[in-house]
Amino acid sequence: MGDIEDALDRADTEGFTREPPKSLQARVNFLLRRLKTARAVAAEIGVTADSVNRYRRGARRRPPQEIADRIEAAVLARWQPRVRERRRRQAATATGITVETRAQFGYTAPVGTTDDGRFRRLTVHLPPEYARRLFEAREQGAGDRRLREIVAEGLQEVYFKDGGRRAAGLEVELNNIDYFDVSF
């Protein structure tokens, strides 16, 4: 996963209205309710169906860290899907997203101006159009490069070009990301 996709996942989990299950047994039981069979849960987290049943009964309490991480990721991916969808829809139609980043921006600019890339720290609110495009690209399985292009285009229009009031020929590229966070 890339920086932008991880940030979108974090923003998704920030909107939960209830905490996801904490204990291993509760998490496995939640997955069993969603996926219906121990075999389906086992395939999802990479263990045997017998191991899933041991986790469910509480006979096995401490899985290896790698398995525990997979169980947590599977639970978070399925926790409160309607809450996630409602927040994404609201961001894509009304509120937009806020991007906070420290990254190196590369520029293609008209002759006589600098096109040297440099690190900048930005916190910019992008309109709903960019949130919609970002969510759609992610749903279609776009890679980190495509997601970076969408964010760079939004930052270019909103921050660097100030909605068309300056820097008419500027093209911005998002290169080295030091950190990246999204909220919606």
Side-chain angles (χ1 to χ4, degrees):
M1 272 192 191
D3 298 313
I4 296 175
E5 201 162 340
D6 290 341
L8 288 170
D9 285 341
R10 280 191 309 271
D12 253 356
T13 61
E14 289 171 359
F16 290 157
T17 57
R18 291 187 349 243
E19 288 292 317
K22 294 282 187 207
S23 73
L24 175 67
Q25 197 171 5
R27 287 178 175 177
V28 170
N29 284 330
F30 171 77
L31 290 174
L32 280 166
R33 282 192 305 274
R34 292 299 165 124
L35 298 175
K36 305 295 184 214
T37 66
R39 181 176 285 166
V41 174
E44 176 74 20
I45 61 176
V47 296
T48 65
D50 286 341
S51 291
V52 169
N53 285 322
R54 286 186 199 106
Y55 294 143
R56 180 185 54 78
R57 289 191 316 263
R60 187 179 288 170
R61 295 172 191 262
R62 298 194 192 280
Q65 188 61 45
E66 182 181 317
I67 302 299
D69 292 342
R70 284 191 220 145
I71 291 170
E72 181 180 11
V75 168
L76 290 178
R78 289 168 177 78
W79 188 251
Q80 294 191 330
R82 289 185 297 229
V83 170
R84 289 173 187 229
E85 182 56 37
R86 183 179 62 235
R87 290 185 70 235
R88 283 189 209 125
R89 193 174 340 106
Q90 183 179 8
T93 58
T95 59
I97 60 174
T98 300
V99 173
E100 182 178 344
T101 186
R102 182 175 186 275
Q104 184 177 19
F105 292 91
Y107 308 99
T108 304
V111 176
T113 60
T114 182
D115 60 356
D116 293 338
R118 62 178 185 250
F119 275 93
R120 289 180 184 248
R121 185 180 315 248
L122 299 177
T123 301
V124 178
H125 183 77
L126 298 180
E129 168 195 343
Y130 293 102
R132 180 187 49 76
R133 289 178 53 204
L134 201 58
F135 296 145
E136 285 175 358
R138 185 170 180 222
E139 286 173 15
Q140 295 169 0
D144 193 53
R145 183 176 187 84
R146 178 66 187 132
L147 299 177
R148 282 180 190 229
E149 290 172 2
I150 294 169
V151 170
E153 186 179 326
L155 293 173
Q156 170 184 304
E157 293 303 317
V158 174
Y159 179 79
F160 291 99
K161 289 187 175 182
D162 195 20
R165 289 189 280 271
R166 60 188 167 108
L170 184 70
E171 293 290 323
V172 175
E173 188 176 302
L174 188 57
N175 294 326
N176 300 328
I177 296 177
D178 189 19
Y179 75 86
F180 190 90
D181 197 25
V182 175
S183 60
F184 52 89

